[in-house]
């Protein structure tokens, strides 16, 4: 009833601290994991719901470059009041659509991914006020956590790892790339590259290390026969194919971040889960990649063995090609333009009313159809249009 209908919800946060914004930004800057308590009232198509004593903190890396105070944030409904949930969610993320004049890159991409049988969070929209002040128009994104796993995988007892932020150098240099390379049997060697998001008390990373050992240290025959058995193979291949198809390079195929992998405790297979796609439709430029409209279907950055190994094996690469071609059938303007138009109809009045957005209303309208050029600074340069990107890329 929240995500499956076209609606824009109203989120009213009330902080007891009158200097709440200073506290939120200091917590973010100091990176100490502190949150700030608030009450929140949310109005959606099911009514008005009030939740006391939720915890709020700012989030994001490049998205923090959004001008002004319209930063991305998340709400934890459950931290202080055990079992408190909003539509089955203990947490919700609110993204400011940094570098996205259309406000819909992530929604269109994730909706398409789920339509293709790929694990990805659901997205809707929200107008947000803080202490009575209108803060902006946001996407509201389902959290990838135990509730997500219970809903979409029907198991949440296994280990789930989140790719690290990777803002500190490349593979082999002590960087944080979640590259799926093998760095030895000591799990401390992986601590800056991944975060264990479930079973934190047990803190046993042996299943991840065994997977990486198999991937990086097996001969071709063993890899071909054993590696696919470790995965929900076809959904994983299709998920990575979609990153390529939509030139979503702020992902494993290039930046080696913005994904989760989950080890199902009943099937013992790994699942690939998408995350953070505000730079889909070619909004993230990688060095040496070239024209993102012409990105080769088997593009992968260096030191990404999970894909390069697949691409270098004829049998495994054929599996990838099959998934790519199946998804490509609906990667068309005929299929996607009506969905884009429906979202535009829903959100255009709210985008227009958001004086805190990064781009103008004229740029919002133009960028749905075609490329636009913007000035320098964060989010500047040429930004592909949604419909024109699909036409050229397909």
């Amino acid at each position: 009833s929240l995500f499956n209908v076209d609606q824009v919800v109203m989120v009213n946060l009330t902080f007891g601290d009158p200097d709440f914004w200073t506290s939120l930004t200091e917590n973010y800057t100091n990176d100490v994991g502190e949150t700030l308590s608030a009450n929140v009232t949310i109005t959606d198509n099911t009514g008005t719901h009030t939740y006391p004593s939720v915890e709020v903190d700012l989030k994001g890396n490049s998205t923090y470059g959004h001008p002004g105070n319209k930063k991305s944030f998340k709400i934890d409904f459950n931290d202080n009041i055990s079992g408190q949930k909003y539509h089955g969610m203990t947490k919700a993320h609110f993204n400011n659509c940094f570098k996205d004049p259309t406000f819909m890159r992530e929604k269109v991409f994730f909706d398409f991914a789920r339509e293709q049988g790929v694990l990805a969070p659901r997205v809707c929209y929200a107008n947000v006020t803080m202490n009575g002040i209108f803060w902006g128009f946001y996407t509201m994104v389902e959290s990838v956590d135990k509730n997500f796993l219970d809903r979409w995988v029907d198991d949440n007892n296994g280990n789930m790892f989140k790719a690290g932020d990777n803002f500190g150098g490349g593979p082999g240099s002590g960087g944080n790339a979640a590259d799926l390379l093998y760095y030895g049997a000591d799990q401390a060697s992986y601590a800056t590259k991944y975060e264990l998001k479930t079973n934190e008390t047990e803190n046993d990373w042996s299943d991840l290390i065994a997977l990486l050992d198999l991937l990086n240290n097996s001969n071709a025959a063993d890899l071909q026969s054993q590696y696919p058995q470790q995965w929900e193979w076809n959904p994983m291949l299709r998920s990575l194919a979609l990153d390529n198809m939509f030139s979503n390079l702020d992902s494993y195929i290039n930046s080696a971040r913005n994904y989760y992998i989950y080890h199902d405790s009943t099937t013992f297979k790994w699942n690939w889960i998408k995350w953070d796609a505000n730079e889909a439709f070619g909004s993230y430029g990688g060095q040496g990649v070239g024209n993102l409209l012409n990105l080769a279907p088997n593009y992968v950055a260096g030191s990404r063995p999970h894909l390069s190994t697949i691409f270098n094996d004829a049998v495994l690469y054929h599996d990838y090609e099959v998934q790519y071609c199946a998804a490509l059938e609906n990667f068309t303007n005929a299929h996607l333009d009506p969905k884009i138009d429906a979202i535009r109809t829903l959100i255009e009045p709210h985008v227009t009313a958001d004086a805190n957005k990064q781009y103008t209303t004229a740029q919002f309208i133009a960028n749905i159809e075609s490329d636009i050029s913007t000035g320098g600074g964060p989010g500047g340069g040429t930004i592909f249009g949604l419909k024109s990107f699909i036409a050229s890329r397909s």
Side-chain angles (χ1 to χ4, degrees):
S1 54
L2 176 65
F3 293 101
N4 293 342
V5 295
D6 291 333
Q7 65 171 319
V8 175
V9 304
M10 187 69 212
V11 178
N12 298 291
L13 283 159
T14 303
F15 297 90
D17 180 1
D19 199 21
F20 67 92
W21 192 249
T22 298
S23 298
L24 285 171
T25 53
E26 286 180 350
N27 289 343
Y28 176 88
T29 302
N30 295 332
D31 194 24
V32 292
E34 291 292 327
T35 57
L36 195 63
S37 295
N39 298 327
V40 64
T41 299
I42 307 179
T43 301
D44 59 34
N45 67 325
T46 67
T48 298
H49 313 273
T50 299
Y51 301 93
S53 192
V54 301
E55 292 298 312
V56 181
D57 60 330
L58 305 184
K59 60 183 281 285
N61 291 301
S62 59
T63 59
Y64 199 75
H66 194 292
N69 289 341
K70 188 186 171 185
K71 308 302 184 185
S72 297
F73 67 96
K74 61 180 178 285
I75 296 176
D76 189 329
F77 299 92
N78 180 70
D79 193 53
N80 295 320
I81 302 176
S82 180
Q84 182 168 257
K85 294 182 179 182
Y86 173 62
H87 286 281
M89 300 184 298
T90 54
K91 294 179 182 177
H93 295 252
F94 295 83
N95 293 342
N96 59 14
C97 299
F98 176 71
K99 290 181 69 175
D100 181 10
T102 72
F103 281 73
M104 61 177 91
R105 278 171 161 75
E106 187 164 61
K107 178 167 174 57
V108 171
F109 181 57
F110 281 168
D111 284 356
F112 187 85
R114 291 195 318 281
E115 181 184 288
Q116 293 292 321
V118 167
L119 290 169
R122 296 171 293 176
V123 181
C124 66
Y125 290 95
N127 282 309
V128 176
T129 67
M130 297 187 185
N131 280 22
I133 302 169
F134 177 68
W135 222 256
F137 181 61
Y138 287 78
T139 55
M140 182 177 180
V141 184
E142 180 179 21
S143 183
V144 176
D145 55 15
K146 282 201 164 191
N147 298 301
F148 178 96
L149 295 171
D150 190 43
R151 177 181 292 273
W152 299 113
V153 185
D154 198 27
D155 176 84
N156 63 13
N157 295 315
N159 280 353
M160 181 166 70
F161 295 90
K162 181 183 180 183
D165 289 332
N166 186 21
F167 284 95
S173 64
N176 302 326
D179 46 26
L180 299 180
L181 283 164
Y182 181 71
Y183 291 94
D186 184 358
Q187 71 182 45
S189 301
Y190 304 88
T192 62
K193 304 174 186 301
Y194 313 92
E195 298 175 64
L196 179 61
K197 307 299 285 189
T198 58
N199 304 322
E200 295 96 325
T201 302
E202 292 86 346
N203 195 34
D204 180 1
W205 296 37
S206 58
D207 57 348
L208 174 65
I209 295 170
L211 179 76
L212 302 185
D213 189 14
L214 173 66
L215 170 63
N216 290 274
N217 299 322
S218 299
N219 61 44
D222 287 346
L223 197 69
Q224 189 181 104
S225 64
Q226 297 176 30
Y227 195 60
Q229 305 306 314
Q230 302 297 313
W231 289 92
E232 294 292 348
W233 183 243
N234 288 335
M236 178 273 292
L237 292 176
R238 190 170 298 201
S239 185
L240 292 167
L242 293 182
D243 286 328
N244 179 288
M245 192 176 298
F246 283 80
S247 296
N248 180 41
L249 294 193
D250 196 14
S251 65
Y252 179 75
I253 67 174
N254 183 272
S255 68
R257 55 176 175 253
N258 295 326
Y259 69 89
Y260 292 78
I261 56 173
Y262 174 66
H263 197 198
D264 193 307
S265 70
T266 57
T267 66
F268 305 108
K269 291 182 181 292
W270 290 89
N271 296 260
W272 194 278
I273 305 171
K274 304 195 112 27
W275 185 245
D276 193 358
N278 68 297
E279 297 191 73
F281 292 86
S283 290
Y284 183 91
Q287 287 187 342
V289 176
N291 186 348
L292 293 178
L293 296 172
N294 298 322
L295 188 71
N298 61 347
Y299 165 79
V300 62
S303 299
R304 305 288 183 264
H306 177 64
L307 268 183
S308 59
T309 301
I310 291 169
F311 292 164
N312 289 329
D313 183 284
V315 172
L316 301 184
Y317 184 53
H318 176 70
D319 291 346
Y320 172 83
E321 286 181 308
V322 168
Q323 295 306 312
Y324 201 114
C325 291
L328 189 61
E329 291 181 9
N330 280 332
F331 185 65
T332 65
N333 289 99
H335 182 75
L336 287 169
D337 283 7
K339 300 176 186 295
I340 292 169
D341 290 339
I343 299 171
R344 174 184 172 174
T345 298
L346 172 69
I347 70 173
E348 185 169 352
H350 304 277
V351 173
T352 302
D354 183 3
N356 300 324
K357 59 182 177 287
Q358 185 173 9
Y359 304 94
T360 66
T361 301
Q363 288 173 319
F364 158 76
I365 293 170
N367 198 222
I368 292 171
E369 304 290 336
S370 57
D371 302 354
I372 64 171
S373 294
T374 62
T382 298
I383 303 175
F384 292 120
L386 300 186
K387 293 181 181 180
S388 58
F389 177 89
I390 294 164
S392 297
R393 179 81 179 122
S394 62

